[in-house]
Amino acid sequence: MIIVGILFSVIIFAGIIYTLIKYFQFWKRFRLPKALYWIVQTLFMGMLILCISRITVIESEIAKSILLRISAIYFVVLVYSTVLILIRQLICILGQRMAMKNRVYKFIRSTKRGVGSILIFTFVLGIVSLFNMQYMTYTEYDLGASEKEQDVPLKIAAIADAHIGTAVLRSDLQELVTKINETKPDVIFLVGDMFDHSTSDSLKMAAVKAFSEFESTYGVYYVEGNHENYLKEDTTKYFREAGIQV
């Protein structure tokens, strides 16, 4: 398993390097300073690493929010570009062997048009993904039951993947609680990934204060997700302080 993990990491790393080189070739088509490209990439990569590993050291929530959003877009561009550029390269190899000369193949093979289209597509995808991440979705399900059980209806509210500090901001907490309380649930379940590496201590306390205002007939229950398990602390204490059963 360790060898497979190392091999997979090497393949991913090689793919990213190849993508950065292809974008460098695209950059040179516009006769821009070559050093500037690597400076920009270094800055973006540095922001991404900071957001993954040490984002909580930044105290300003505005600065943190800006960094997270720029890094999220860059991450989407980098990952999807790697996949699409490798597919493009495969098409170019096959096209060369098959002596393809149609317009589509020429468009794909062109660095300026082919690679440029991938950059534009992945950037737009990153913007859309960012807005999708920030948009809280409320979905209702009507689950059927036996005729005997239907005499006692139960309304359950479940909240998942809030990622407070990344997806749900401090200003969104009250809206989240209000929306849930408006449904008048019988029981509320917080089913993991409320916190992640970007959730500062002050945000955790703000979440405790907001979550203590949940209203339900039979209480509020919480279970940890994988992102809480990644953190080197007992996050359940915050939920217990809010009167939530863990």
Side-chain angles (χ1 to χ4, degrees):
M1 287 297 293
I2 296 175
I3 296 175
V4 173
I6 294 174
L7 182 61
F8 180 76
S9 298
V10 170
I11 292 172
I12 294 297
F13 181 74
I16 291 173
I17 294 298
Y18 182 75
T19 298
L20 293 177
I21 291 172
K22 283 298 177 182
Y23 276 140
F24 180 58
Q25 294 173 353
F26 173 74
W27 176 279
K28 290 192 297 182
R29 294 290 177 128
F30 297 94
R31 297 182 179 179
L32 296 170
K34 297 178 183 178
L36 181 60
Y37 172 81
W38 295 111
I39 291 172
V40 170
Q41 289 292 353
T42 302
L43 287 173
F44 280 135
M45 192 65 73
M47 283 191 291
L48 180 60
I49 294 171
L50 175 65
C51 289
I52 292 173
S53 59
R54 301 286 295 173
I55 190 63
T56 52
V57 300
I58 301 174
E59 295 183 2
S60 171
E61 288 193 25
I62 295 176
K64 186 189 297 182
S65 177
I66 292 172
L67 280 174
L68 282 168
R69 275 139 189 78
I70 293 174
S71 297
I73 295 172
Y74 180 71
F75 180 77
V76 171
V77 170
L78 194 62
V79 170
Y80 283 93
S81 291
T82 300
V83 174
L84 293 175
I85 284 178
L86 289 175
I87 292 173
R88 170 187 173 272
Q89 185 62 27
L90 180 61
I91 293 172
C92 289
I93 293 172
L94 292 174
Q96 197 169 22
R97 291 189 176 184
M98 297 170 64
M100 295 175 64
K101 296 181 180 180
N102 60 66
R103 290 183 179 181
V104 175
Y105 173 71
K106 289 181 179 180
F107 181 89
I108 293 173
R109 187 178 179 182
S110 168
T111 298
K112 194 169 185 178
R113 291 177 294 173
V115 176
S117 297
I118 291 174
L119 177 60
I120 293 170
F121 172 76
T122 53
F123 179 74
V124 172
L125 183 62
I127 296 292
V128 172
S129 300
L130 181 62
F131 278 103
N132 184 59
M133 177 187 71
Q134 290 185 280
Y135 180 72
M136 287 189 287
T137 304
Y138 303 90
T139 307
E140 292 187 9
Y141 298 95
D142 187 6
L143 303 179
S146 65
E147 293 183 3
K148 185 177 180 180
E149 293 172 329
Q150 285 179 357
D151 294 334
V152 187
L154 187 67
K155 183 178 286 186
I156 300 172
I159 306 170
D161 298 296
H163 291 279
I164 297 168
T166 303
V168 175
L169 304 179
R170 185 188 297 266
S171 57
D172 299 323
L173 287 170
Q174 195 56 53
E175 178 191 350
L176 175 62
V177 173
T178 301
K179 286 282 188 181
I180 293 298
N181 288 343
E182 285 176 354
T183 65
K184 300 185 184 304
D186 292 306
V187 62
I188 300 172
F189 293 130
L190 308 178
V191 289
D193 289 353
M194 297 295 109
F195 299 157
D196 60 23
H197 69 282
S198 65
T199 312
S200 64
D201 290 339
S202 63
L203 267 177
K204 290 171 185 173
M205 295 306 298
V208 167
K209 183 179 179 181
F211 290 168
S212 65
E213 297 176 12
F214 275 131
E215 299 172 359
S216 65
T217 307
Y218 302 114
V220 184
Y221 298 84
Y222 164 74
V223 62
E224 284 186 317
N226 61 306
H227 282 272
E228 280 94 1
N229 287 323
Y230 295 153
L231 302 176
K232 296 179 180 179
E233 67 169 320
D234 178 19
T235 58
T236 60
K237 63 183 179 182
Y238 295 99
F239 297 91
R240 289 193 177 95
E241 288 179 22
I244 295 171
Q245 298 189 53
V246 177

